[in-house]
Amino acid sequence: MATQYTPAQLRHAIRTGEHTTNTSGLCQGFVQCNVAILPKAWADEFLQFCQLNQKPCPVVAMAAQPGDTNLVEVAPDFDIRTDVPKYRIWKGGTLVDEVTDISSVWRDDLVTFLLGCSFSFEEALIADGLEVRNITQGKNVPMYDTNIACRAAGRFHGNTVVSMRPFKPADAIRMIQICSRFPSVHGAPIHFGDPAAIGIKDINQPEYGDAVTIKAGEVPVFTACGVTPQAAIMAAKPEFCITHSPGHMVVTDIPNSKLAIL
Amino acid sequence: MATQYTPAQLRHAIRTGEHTTNTSGLCQGFVQCNVAILPKAWADEFLQFCQLNQKPCPVVAMAAQPGDTNLVEVAPDFDIRTDVPKYRIWKGGTLVDEVTDISSVWRDDLVTFLLGCSFSFEEALIADGLEVRNITQGKNVPMYDTNIACRAAGRFHGNTVVSMRPFKPADAIRMIQICSRFPSVHGAPIHFGDPAAIGIKDINQPEYGDAVTIKAGEVPVFTACGVTPQAAIMAAKPEFCITHSPGHMVVTDIPNSKLAIL
């Protein structure tokens, strides 16, 4: 898949089955989103959960009506049933299938949520000359369970999951400034320094993703992470739901700069 | 001195000799400034030094011409010769006098600089619910020499002096956001955490001001400090210069909120 493809071209390649792998590094400059698709009977509480926990669960777009397959914010021709490279289908909190098209399981009561993703702010950090360690090391960002409780909404509850990127303190200060401009992709970090202060057991053993090197003089900086709503959904065990497979995101027509508030 | 006095009323009390003590906590909501008055033969290089080192040396106002005693940015009736509660007079880098009026030593070649002061951002931090330790402990903020070199300009050079305020990491992140809005009062901090990383020998032995308590779970956050230009002036040893006495500031008619860029 040529990286110079436009988002529309990439979505077309995904829709036709030409592209089925992850979207990391593709269509740089455009917003990519996490996907959560829930039955209407669960969707209202999930939206409230996101509203109460905006740093880990920033809603970039949601379907106007249950059953809607297009979200105009993404693109005029977007179809949630075909335009994600890989989906995970869950029943009662258990993964039951991984597919490249959900047309055959689509239901009129399904509500689609697109949530912000760290790719957008990582691009802004790199553009500013900061090193993003997981990218330079070619790894998934390390993610950790914390003891920071989310505010519960109905059946949705859980602790905040954070991603971690190490920086020298002066670079961490700059990272905080840049990320503050992007509230819809997790915004400013929520902690830095001592991992134990937020209940992280072992910085070298992330619960999700890969460990990265923390060099002498660097501090770990922790940002609220989009795995938080996924974990809350798994814990709530809705009878049916669909998510993207990790790294296989919705690629939108929205320029990353549109998410910057300043 | 009643704290409800307006800046104009306080300056009048200073001018008439009624108020000769420090200005800390007075006229809340209005910008207070550090003072540096230099002969024209030194002023151009000093301005360049400030321009090259804006974080420690933010110029809020300067006299339009050598010899000018009014700075319209402060107030229409401001007079630098009488409106500072206490002045220090220096010759060749040596303190030779401390006075409450400089009319008798004024010269037509003197150029007045007013530099931003941390009072403005401390007020914004407190308004946001953060604790500023030096204020709650009733102390001068602790200030330290560092190994962070300023960019030299002519005869002016030296290392950056920093002030230190301890915060929990989450509060430090908020402090960074708030201070970023105030570039003309030192802006975002330049370091946090390990004091030795910026050449601070002993966090409990500040070179200027008083030590404050750093509680468990807090990190020291270091901000470029207005003592930096004073130290550079002392090192340059101009044949003549005048500064304010510590804590005895120019109180301006400028609302603190006017310094916020966002």
Side-chain angles (χ1 to χ4, degrees):
Chain A
M1 182 72 221
T3 56
Q4 68 270 31
Y5 272 25
T6 66
Q9 290 170 327
L10 177 59
R11 285 193 307 270
H12 180 79
I14 291 168
R15 194 176 307 161
T16 57
E18 181 195 340
H19 182 94
T20 57
T21 55
N22 75 62
T23 55
S24 176
L26 301 181
C27 298
Q28 291 195 9
F30 291 92
V31 173
Q32 298 196 21
C33 288
N34 298 297
V35 179
I37 303 171
L38 289 158
K40 172 67 174 166
W42 294 78
D44 295 342
E45 288 177 7
F46 183 70
L47 179 59
Q48 186 185 15
F49 183 79
C50 292
Q51 202 282 325
L52 290 172
N53 302 283
Q54 294 186 37
K55 293 199 84 162
C57 315
V59 177
V60 171
M62 71 175 285
Q65 300 288 337
D68 281 359
T69 54
N70 174 254
L71 281 76
V72 291
E73 295 92 339
V74 177
D77 68 338
F78 176 71
D79 190 325
I80 186 63
R81 296 170 297 186
T82 55
D83 291 3
V84 178
K86 204 171 286 176
Y87 304 81
R88 286 183 165 181
I89 300 175
W90 307 77
K91 291 186 179 173
T94 302
L95 178 64
V96 297
D97 207 357
E98 194 160 36
V99 299
T100 59
D101 187 312
I102 55 170
S103 298
S104 65
V105 296
W106 188 254
R107 303 175 1 182
D108 284 345
D109 69 335
L110 292 179
V111 180
T112 298
F113 295 88
L114 301 185
L115 305 179
C117 152
S118 60
F119 290 172
S120 299
F121 75 72
E122 286 182 338
E123 184 176 280
L125 298 176
I126 292 165
D128 201 63
L130 298 177
E131 185 206 338
V132 176
R133 186 63 39 78
N134 45 292
I135 291 180
T136 50
Q137 294 195 324
K139 294 182 175 180
N140 289 328
V141 71
M143 293 165 276
Y144 305 85
D145 290 327
T146 74
N147 60 11
I148 303 170
C150 292
R151 293 183 63 189
R155 292 160 285 186
F156 294 98
H157 60 90
N159 287 348
T160 304
V161 177
V162 293
S163 61
M164 186 282 286
R165 294 164 189 81
F167 295 99
K168 289 179 192 162
D171 287 343
I173 290 165
R174 184 65 184 141
M175 181 269 195
I176 290 167
Q177 291 179 316
I178 292 171
C179 290
S180 294
R181 302 177 61 220
F182 291 92
S184 55
V185 284
H186 309 303
I190 59 174
H191 181 62
F192 61 75
D194 182 17
I198 57 171
I200 293 173
K201 294 179 182 64
D202 183 350
I203 197 73
N204 296 311
Q205 299 283 340
E207 276 80 18
Y208 320 88
D210 307 316
V212 298
T213 306
I214 302 176
K215 298 180 183 174
E218 293 181 338
V219 293
V221 179
F222 300 96
T223 302
C225 173
V227 171
T228 308
Q230 295 178 28
I233 291 171
M234 297 312 114
K237 301 187 196 307
E239 37 92 8
F240 184 78
C241 87
I242 302 169
T243 67
H244 66 291
S245 292
H248 297 64
M249 319 292 279
V250 165
V251 178
T252 78
D253 284 354
I254 307 168
N256 279 326
S257 64
K258 287 284 186 200
L259 297 187
I261 56 171
L262 302 173
Chain B
M1 181 73 219
T3 56
Q4 68 271 32
Y5 272 26
T6 66
Q9 290 170 327
L10 177 57
R11 284 194 305 271
H12 180 81
I14 291 168
R15 195 175 307 160
T16 58
E18 180 194 341
H19 181 93
T20 57
T21 55
N22 75 64
T23 55
S24 177
L26 301 181
C27 298
Q28 291 195 9
F30 292 92
V31 174
Q32 297 197 22
C33 288
N34 299 297
V35 179
I37 303 171
L38 289 158
K40 171 68 175 165
W42 293 78
D44 295 341
E45 288 178 8
F46 182 70
L47 178 59
Q48 185 185 14
F49 183 80
C50 293
Q51 202 280 326
L52 290 172
N53 302 282
Q54 293 186 38
K55 294 198 84 161
C57 315
V59 178
V60 171
M62 72 174 285
Q65 300 288 338
D68 280 0
T69 54
N70 175 254
L71 282 75
V72 290
E73 295 91 339
V74 177
D77 68 338
F78 176 72
D79 190 325
I80 186 62
R81 296 169 297 186
T82 54
D83 291 4
V84 177
K86 204 171 286 177
Y87 305 80
R88 287 182 165 181
I89 300 175
W90 307 76
K91 292 187 179 175
T94 301
L95 177 64
V96 297
D97 207 357
E98 193 161 37
V99 299
T100 59
D101 187 310
I102 55 169
S103 299
S104 66
V105 295
W106 188 253
R107 302 173 3 180
D108 285 344
D109 69 335
L110 292 179
V111 180
T112 298
F113 295 88
L114 301 184
L115 305 179
C117 151
S118 61
F119 290 172
S120 298
F121 75 73
E122 286 182 337
E123 185 177 278
L125 297 177
I126 291 165
D128 201 65
L130 297 178
E131 185 205 338
V132 176
R133 186 64 38 78
N134 47 291
I135 291 181
T136 50
Q137 294 195 324
K139 295 182 174 178
N140 289 329
V141 71
M143 293 164 277
Y144 305 86
D145 290 326
T146 74
N147 61 10
I148 303 170
C150 292
R151 293 183 63 187
R155 293 159 285 186
F156 293 99
H157 60 89
N159 286 347
T160 304
V161 178
V162 293
S163 61
M164 187 282 287
R165 294 164 188 81
F167 296 100
K168 291 179 191 162
D171 288 342
I173 290 166
R174 183 66 183 140
M175 182 270 196
I176 291 166
Q177 291 180 315
I178 293 171
C179 291
S180 294
R181 301 178 61 220
F182 291 93
S184 56
V185 284
H186 307 305
I190 60 174
H191 181 62
F192 62 74
D194 182 18
I198 57 172
I200 294 174
K201 293 180 182 65
D202 183 348
I203 197 72
N204 296 311
Q205 299 283 339
E207 276 80 18
Y208 321 88
D210 308 316
V212 298
T213 306
I214 303 175
K215 299 180 182 174
E218 293 180 340
V219 293
V221 179
F222 300 96
T223 302
C225 173
V227 170
T228 307
Q230 294 179 27
I233 291 171
M234 297 312 114
K237 303 187 194 309
E239 38 92 8
F240 183 77
C241 85
I242 302 169
T243 67
H244 65 291
S245 292
H248 297 64
M249 319 293 279
V250 165
V251 179
T252 78
D253 284 355
I254 308 168
N256 279 325
S257 65
K258 287 284 186 200
L259 297 188
I261 55 169
L262 303 174

